[in-house]
Amino acid sequence: MFLWGERSSGTLNGKPFYTTMGMIPMIREYAPTRWYDFRTDTEYAGDIWITCGNDWPDNTLEEVARYGNNKRTAFCGSGARLGITQLAEAYGFIQIKPGQAEFGMEIEQWMGPGGLQLMLYTHPLFSYEESNRHAMVIFDPANLIERPMDKTITKKRPEGEIDGKKESWLTETGLEFHNPMTFAYLDGIGVDNPLTP
């Protein structure tokens, strides 16, 4: 929900029901100029990723770097990661280096234009779904605040006839976004542009 969730409210079984807006719908609604897709960019119509893909990420990331901190986090799909690797191998001056494991995740650093430092993480939710495989969402964690509706609680359930306890945690939470222009969504990374020049 924090990635693709749509904001809504209503009732379910006679009780209030809410869903939170995720980062990707927030970018589309509040920062549409930070939504990029190599496949639909008319400036690169008919271009092959590996031959001109270096210009597109440089120009795109330079725009992203104009707002906010230079160090950002990026979740991407395996196709996007492969596209970046192809550019690094073809041109040799794209800097990608292993980073420290953070929160149990292996992170790589991509040094982009304008001093932008992206902490890249190949996210399984992007890689699994084909429509997200060549996409990347860029964000500054400092501009995300989790806002629980109620405190996290432990709900006691009847123990029944088992020799143990059955308990669960229930949290009703959402995200508060700050500075939408510091977020970005890039798609079509590693894919050729099919438009007619």
Side-chain angles (χ1 to χ4, degrees):
M1 292 302 290
F2 282 177
L3 290 172
W4 289 281
E6 296 288 344
R7 179 175 43 204
S8 68
S9 63
T11 57
L12 181 66
N13 299 326
K15 295 184 179 180
F17 180 77
Y18 304 95
T19 59
T20 190
M21 176 182 272
M23 281 191 285
I24 295 169
M26 185 280 298
I27 295 166
R28 187 175 284 286
E29 184 171 340
Y30 295 107
T33 59
R34 295 292 168 254
W35 193 276
Y36 306 92
D37 193 334
F38 181 71
R39 298 165 298 187
T40 58
D41 193 327
T42 55
E43 189 175 331
Y44 299 94
D47 286 342
I48 297 169
W49 171 257
I50 199 66
T51 59
C52 85
N54 191 46
D55 291 338
W56 186 82
D58 279 354
N59 294 331
T60 302
L61 292 177
E62 188 276 328
E63 286 183 27
V64 172
R66 292 177 191 172
Y67 301 92
N69 295 325
N70 283 344
K71 187 174 181 179
R72 313 268 178 92
T73 300
F75 291 161
C76 65
S78 56
R81 184 65 186 85
L82 178 60
I84 295 166
T85 300
Q86 290 170 340
L87 292 180
E89 290 172 352
Y91 296 101
F93 53 80
I94 293 179
Q95 297 180 21
I96 299 175
K97 59 183 181 178
Q100 295 179 339
E102 297 182 24
F103 307 110
M105 302 182 292
E106 291 297 324
I107 305 290
E108 293 179 298
Q109 297 176 14
W110 178 11
M111 303 304 289
L116 185 64
Q117 181 183 4
L118 287 180
M119 308 307 288
L120 280 177
Y121 173 63
T122 306
H123 198 291
L125 292 177
F126 280 87
S127 298
Y128 178 75
E129 175 62 42
E130 186 175 348
S131 62
N132 299 315
R133 199 165 290 149
H134 294 275
M136 173 188 298
V137 63
I138 299 171
F139 61 98
D140 182 349
N143 290 329
L144 290 173
I145 300 173
E146 185 178 5
R147 293 291 185 200
M149 291 179 65
D150 294 310
K151 293 181 180 178
T152 302
I153 60 171
T154 303
K155 282 193 161 186
K156 303 281 184 185
R157 293 186 175 171
E159 295 179 23
E161 297 181 7
I162 63 166
D163 185 16
K165 288 185 177 182
K166 286 180 82 173
E167 296 179 342
S168 63
W169 290 265
L170 172 65
T171 303
E172 296 174 334
T173 189
L175 287 175
E176 179 180 318
F177 301 101
H178 291 267
N179 304 316
M181 295 297 282
T182 63
F183 294 75
Y185 185 80
L186 284 62
D187 206 348
I189 301 171
V191 180
D192 299 339
N193 186 315
L195 301 177
T196 304

